């Protein structure tokens, strides 16, 4: 039998390929080596870089070191002291566990390791170049470990050329250092770049650390948060509403002391600040969650920062309530009811107004996630039917046909005759029977879009418009499952979406009546609102998706509306089954009665 054409790759080639995943740029090396130092129990870690890590990265720690055997062994692929079986993955308390980092780093650079354990008299020195073992000798060195990584990617010119300017690469390195320095305040970090010390963070508490990284000024802007339910412990700081900034930097989530990104929980923070900060500004936060490792699933991909919880809805609600409580203590949000567990309801928006309540009755303690929307809506109906009679525009059959196809189709101008103006790029103000109506532009449009989509049935799907260039949508493995289960619903609503390989979809078409929107971003936010809505498990799929689409595609605050657009929104709103509330129970409009105006001026 003749030899086949298939051969096993030599180890150093396999390592070089694997390195592509683990080592993307100098900051990846810094991250891996610093994490190893932390896992080794170091209390001091010194990080030395030259030319943003392109020429040299050295990490010196005072941790437990390695014996002569391990010093050689640690460069083998899948060599790890941190897990022994797959079961250990569910009780992980270390940063590393794949045993790939050192093999990968050594494959694409020149490495010198010096390491000594407390019991050993001499240290070990190992030299490896491009994954090839050069030498192991004895030398003098203090207890702990020093890794020198020289000339990263020297043997892969294509990768080296791909690196960005020193300034950008150094910024990436500092970002990585921040993410490990915040949760490990008991470790003294020193950072040296091109022979200058650029960071010196002595051990201390979290407040010390935040101050030494961001400046002392920040102390008076920080509010501590705490919550401990046995299932999860929440701690850290959020900033006062007044200290919100225009960008999204300085937003940090740590789960079991590991930096993670989680859009769902990020949303919880904004929910807690809603009504307290403007829609263009962003709270800063340093939030730590601690859970039993078996309650979380840190994605096993080495560089990913995503995390999956067994029960993220509970965490969501705890976050909202603990932040609201913390802000309430410093009087940042005096009108909220902090005793109640449901303090994240819309009470702030509705119960605190000086102007007499509109005659439309609504429940100020209405909880969008809890109460029964339908009964609420029924009782309101009689009132609003009377109220809006004057606005009703009679649609002919032909007109109603068109109406099903376009979310806001032009209504003939002459059928609408009322005064409108826009207030603060947020509200549409109009009058009816001498009463003043203030309509929230975003919520009104959300209601219109919601009802429009809700009416869609399997036999009358929303027409889809093919996009010129099919767009690929990538998502996390968590979202992939969800998205996959929603494809039929999406397609019913006018999208044309199909699975496209691992964790990705291709979007070939979008609802014909939605125009000018960023497909990727919209699907992202639709998924986010969808997940949010699942907090109320009673909402069925179709309804939920309609809510999510309405929420993410509606006209936003800050959008200038011309007179025609305002009139159309108002008219379409009044054609809705329930113009008073958004699907999630938030009030859409407020009415100031003429009588109350009169009463006021009698004084
Ligand atoms: P992992 O961290 O996933 O186990 P690495 O390739 O990063 O894999 O490291 C391999 C092993 O080398 C670790 O499990 C650890 O036993 C050892 N090691 C690496 N860095 C250090 C260090 N700074 N101090 C002591 N031991 C280390
Ligand atoms: Mg490691």
């Amino acid at each position: 039998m003749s030899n086949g054409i298939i051969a096993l790759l030599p180890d150093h080639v396999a390592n070089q390929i694997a390195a592509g995943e683990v080592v993307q740029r100098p900051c990846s090396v810094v991250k891996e080596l610093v994490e190893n130092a932390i896992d080794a129990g170091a209390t001091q870690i010194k990080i030395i870089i030259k030319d943003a890590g392109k020429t040299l990265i050295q990490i010196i720690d005072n941790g437990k070191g390695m014996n002569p055997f391990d010093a050689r062994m640690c460069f083998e692929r899948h060599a790890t002291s941190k897990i022994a079986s797959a079961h250990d993955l569910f009780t992980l308390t270390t940063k590393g566990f794949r045993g790939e980092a050192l093999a990968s780093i050594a494959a694409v650079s020149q490495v010198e390791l010096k390491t000594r354990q407390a019991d050993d008299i001499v240290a070990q020195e190992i030299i490896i170049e491009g994954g090839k073992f050069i030498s192991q000798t004895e030398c003098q060195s203090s207890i702990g470990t020093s890794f020198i990584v020289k000339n990263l990617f020297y043997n892969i010119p294509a990768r080296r050329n791909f690196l960005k300017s020193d300034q950008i690469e150094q910024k990436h390195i500092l970002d990585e250092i921040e993410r490990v320095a915040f949760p490990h305040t008991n470790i003294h970090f020193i950072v040296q770049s091109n022979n200058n010390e650029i960071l010196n963070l002595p051990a201390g508490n979290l407040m010390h650390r935040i101050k030494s990284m961001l400046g002392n000024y920040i102390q008076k802007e920080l509010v501590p948060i705490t919550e401990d339910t046995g299932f999860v412990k929440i701690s850290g700081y959020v900033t006062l509403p007044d200290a919100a900034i225009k960008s999204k930097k300085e937003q940090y989530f740590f789960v079991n002391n590991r930096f993670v990104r989680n859009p769902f929980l990020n949303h919880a923070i904004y929910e807690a600040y809603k009504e307290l900060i403007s829609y263009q500004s962003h709270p800063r936060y340093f939030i730590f969650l601690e859970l039993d490792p078996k309650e979380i699933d840190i994605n096993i991909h080495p560089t990913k920062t995503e995390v999956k919880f067994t029960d993220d809805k509970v965490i969501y609600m705890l976050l909202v309530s603990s932040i609201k409580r913390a802000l309430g203590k410093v009087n940042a949000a005096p009108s909220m009811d902090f005793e109640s567990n449901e303090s994240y309801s819309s009470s702030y928006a509705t119960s605190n107004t000086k102007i007499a309540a509109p005659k439309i009755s609504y429940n100020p303690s209405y909880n969008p996630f809890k109460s029964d929307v339908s009964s609420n809506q029924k009782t309101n109906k009689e009132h609003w039917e009377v109220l809006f009679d004057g606005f009703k525009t009679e649609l002919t059959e032909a007109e109603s046909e068109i109406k099903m196809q376009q979310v806001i189709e032009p209504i003939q101008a002459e059928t609408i005759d009322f005064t409108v103006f826009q207030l603060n790029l947020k509200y549409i103000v109009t009058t009816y029977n001498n009463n003043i109506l203030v309509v929230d532009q975003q919520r009104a449009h959300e209601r219109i879009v919601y009802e429009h989509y809700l009416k869609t049935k399997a036999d009358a799907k929303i027409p889809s418009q093919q996009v010129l260039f099919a767009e690929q949508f990538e998502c996390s493995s968590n979202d992939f499952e969800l998205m996959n289960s929603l494809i039929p619903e999406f397609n019913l609503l006018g999208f044309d979406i199909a699975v496209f390989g691992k964790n990705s979809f291709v979007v070939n078409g979008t609802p014909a009546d939605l125009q000018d929107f960023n497909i990727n971003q919209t699907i992202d936010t639709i998924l986010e609102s969808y997940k949010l809505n699942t907090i109320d498990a009673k909402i069925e799929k179709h309804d939920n998706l309609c809510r999510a689409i309405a929420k993410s595609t509606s006209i936003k605050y800050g959008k200038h509306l011309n007179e025609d657009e305002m009139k159309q929104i108002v008219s379409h709103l009044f054609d809705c089954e329930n113009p008073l509330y958004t699907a999630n129970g938030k009030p859409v409009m407020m009415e100031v009665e003429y009588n109350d105006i009169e009463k006021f001026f009698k004084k």
Side-chain angles (χ1 to χ4, degrees), residues 32 36 82 96 101:
E32 293 296 337
N36 280 345
K82 297 168 194 174

Side-chain angles (χ1 to χ4, degrees), residues 217 221 239-251 270 276-284:
Y217 80 94
E221 300 182 346
T239 47
L240 288 168
D242 283 351
I245 56 176
K246 295 277 174 242
S247 77
K248 291 185 180 174
K249 56 179 193 187
E250 292 165 28
Q251 300 191 329
Y270 280 82
L276 297 176
I277 59 176
S278 85
Y279 58 95
Q280 294 151 320
S281 53
H282 306 278
R284 287 171 285 164

